[in-house]
Amino acid sequence: MLILGIETSFDETGIAIYDNNKGLIANKIHSQTKIHSNYGGVVPELAARNHVKNIIPLIKKTLKISQLSIKDINVIAYTAGPGLVGSLLVGATTAFSLSYGLKIPIIPIHHMEGHLLSPMLEKNKPIFPFIALLISGGHTQLIDAHKLGDYKLLGETIDDAVGEAFDKVANLLGIKYPGGANLEKMARKGELGKFIFPSPMINDESMNFSFSGLKTSVTNVISKNIFNQQDYYDIALAFENAVIDVLIKKSLKALNITGYKQLVIAGGVSANKSLRFKLNKILQEKNKKLFFPRKKFCTDNAAMIAYTGMLKLKNNLQDVPIKKLDIQIFPKWNLHDIYY
Ligand code: KG4
Ligand code: ZN
């Protein structure tokens, strides 16, 4: 059985094909980063227009490299939310049109469930139950992933998402949007000690996060002084450490409270090597295990959407009722509300 995955929740157009026997067959992304970096962030209208331009050619290209025809596809899985309305509508309209035209089933997928399950695209898979730390440009959540489709929110950011904080601080350091990955490269050249930023809410009892105060601390330091390049590297490292420390502390708390032995990190920020290294070390010491996907599955992609679709189908789970000719999107959608 072949599943076509369609991802258009934000600024990346993603198309993938997953075979329930052979695994992932193709995974293609059309990135809009260059367009949006000129504006310092994603412009929703431009994102939607570019999805319209790119989605059909990308589907054709993905089928061609897989030596398949659209008629070989058995099921469509598409991102139904959360995300930008215009962007979601492009993917959903394409998905529903294909499903109607080809007379094949369609499965709406929650984007964050796709991220949460993305480490299962790897050979070394986590097994339910586990804790998931979902860290992207729009989300920072700690989830008790009890079983497929049964997710309990343990904590989340009360203001900025962690990726958003990376992007804003990167901008202050002169890096173009989205700056998270390049901030990490700067931090690698940094030296410890000259700057120290407090890890927000690190001693707070809850499993919530806050990153907007940290961003303000960095802004204050930068605006009051004239720095050389090495200072910028040092600031990047101090910021990264402050973020990583609080992510680790709260993840350990979630593991302790639930007694689970596995931690999944997913979403764009989980590509951060320093976070992976430190978490891996500390979890090994505690006889617990860390799982994360390859870098290309950390950021937005359709492979995780097609894979999630396959799992839903196998387990006979449907997140929302499908009505004929009713194009379903949910721009605001909680992960713990995915089943009706
Ligand atoms: O999951 P994602 O691709 O899109 C959303 O659903 O938001 O995450 C994108 C976010 C951006 O904020 C980007 O700066 C951040 O992930 N990011 C990183 C790294 N690579 C991407 N943040 C820190 N370190 C990285 N290596
Ligand atoms: Zn995402």
Side-chain angles (χ1 to χ4, degrees):
M1 186 180 50
L2 291 172
I3 298 162
L4 181 75
I6 298 181
E7 157 63 39
T8 61
S9 62
F10 202 38
D11 62 333
E12 313 280 26
T13 319
I15 301 294
I17 299 171
Y18 196 93
D19 181 322
N20 71 329
N21 292 318
K22 293 186 202 149
L24 188 64
I25 298 210
N27 178 41
K28 287 273 149 209
I29 283 280
H30 190 288
S31 174
Q32 300 183 14
T33 301
K34 271 197 186 142
I35 297 166
H36 299 287
S37 70
N38 295 325
Y39 301 91
V42 172
V43 183
E45 180 62 21
L46 285 182
R49 283 169 193 241
N50 279 282
H51 283 309
V52 171
K53 213 163 98 188
N54 298 323
I55 194 161
I56 300 296
L58 196 62
I59 291 175
K60 286 187 175 162
K61 189 170 159 188
T62 312
L63 287 166
K64 194 169 173 202
I65 58 159
S66 314
Q67 296 178 313
L68 291 167
S69 136
I70 191 71
K71 290 190 178 136
D72 295 322
I73 300 295
N74 307 106
V75 181
I76 311 239
Y78 76 101
T79 302
L84 299 172
V85 178
S87 293
L88 287 169
L89 270 176
V90 179
T93 310
T94 309
F96 274 87
S97 308
L98 284 173
S99 153
Y100 189 68
L102 298 165
K103 296 186 177 54
I104 56 175
I106 185 163
I107 310 177
I109 302 293
H110 192 293
H111 179 78
M112 298 312 290
E113 188 179 25
H115 276 305
L116 186 145
L117 299 174
S118 62
M120 295 189 182
L121 285 160
E122 308 297 351
K123 269 199 190 111
N124 187 18
K125 299 178 203 308
I127 298 164
F128 287 107
F130 54 79
I131 295 294
L133 174 68
L134 303 180
I135 36 180
S136 70
H139 290 81
T140 307
Q141 295 183 326
L142 264 171
I143 307 274
D144 173 349
H146 188 65
K147 62 175 199 252
L148 183 69
D150 183 356
Y151 309 118
K152 187 171 152 211
L153 182 69
L154 299 175
E156 64 183 337
T157 182
I158 57 167
D159 43 53
D160 292 354
V162 62
E164 196 181 345
F166 263 96
D167 293 337
K168 285 178 180 167
V169 170
N171 187 275
L172 293 170
L173 297 174
I175 308 169
K176 273 195 160 188
Y177 177 87
N182 283 329
L183 190 151
E184 183 187 1
K185 284 187 195 142
M186 279 181 91
R188 250 180 259 156
K189 296 180 189 162
E191 283 169 25
L192 282 175
K194 185 159 179 190
F195 301 95
I196 295 173
F197 297 112
S199 292
M201 289 178 79
I202 196 156
N203 293 318
D204 172 85
E205 278 301 303
S206 76
M207 279 177 269
N208 289 333
F209 303 90
S210 162
F211 294 104
S212 94
L214 176 59
K215 175 199 67 196
T216 309
S217 304
V218 180
T219 311
N220 288 342
V221 167
I222 291 182
S223 63
K224 282 191 194 126
N225 301 282
I226 297 167
F227 290 125
N228 61 34
Q229 192 59 45
Q230 185 59 47
D231 290 326
Y232 272 28
Y233 295 151
D234 299 347
I235 290 172
L237 179 62
F239 164 79
E240 192 186 55
N241 281 344
V243 171
I244 290 176
D245 286 352
V246 70
L247 292 178
I248 292 180
K249 174 106 187 259
K250 303 258 166 165
S251 301
L252 290 179
K253 189 172 205 154
L255 287 167
N256 284 340
I257 283 175
T258 53
Y260 294 170
K261 294 212 169 309
Q262 306 163 92
L263 176 70
V264 155
I265 53 169
V269 183
S270 71
N272 188 287
K273 288 205 182 82
S274 186
L275 172 68
R276 290 176 174 200
F277 178 79
K278 288 183 181 172
L279 259 176
N280 207 18
K281 190 162 174 280
I282 201 155
L283 289 186
Q284 265 179 6
E285 284 164 13
K286 293 182 182 297
N287 219 4
K288 296 183 193 278
K289 232 176 148 196
L290 178 67
F291 295 86
F292 48 76
R294 261 168 286 174
K295 203 173 151 204
K296 64 178 174 184
F297 301 138
C298 286
T299 44
D300 288 350
N301 65 87
M304 65 185 192
I305 302 302
Y307 178 76
T308 306
M310 190 275 296
L311 285 187
K312 300 266 139 153
L313 214 60
K314 252 189 175 172
N315 291 278
N316 220 358
L317 293 171
Q318 176 96 10
D319 294 354
V320 281
I322 294 290
K323 294 173 217 141
K324 208 175 172 195
L325 296 184
D326 188 2
I327 291 167
Q328 308 251 23
I329 60 158
F330 306 94
K332 282 190 189 295
W333 191 12
N334 290 326
L335 191 52
H336 44 277
D337 288 339
I338 55 175
Y339 293 106
Y340 61 95

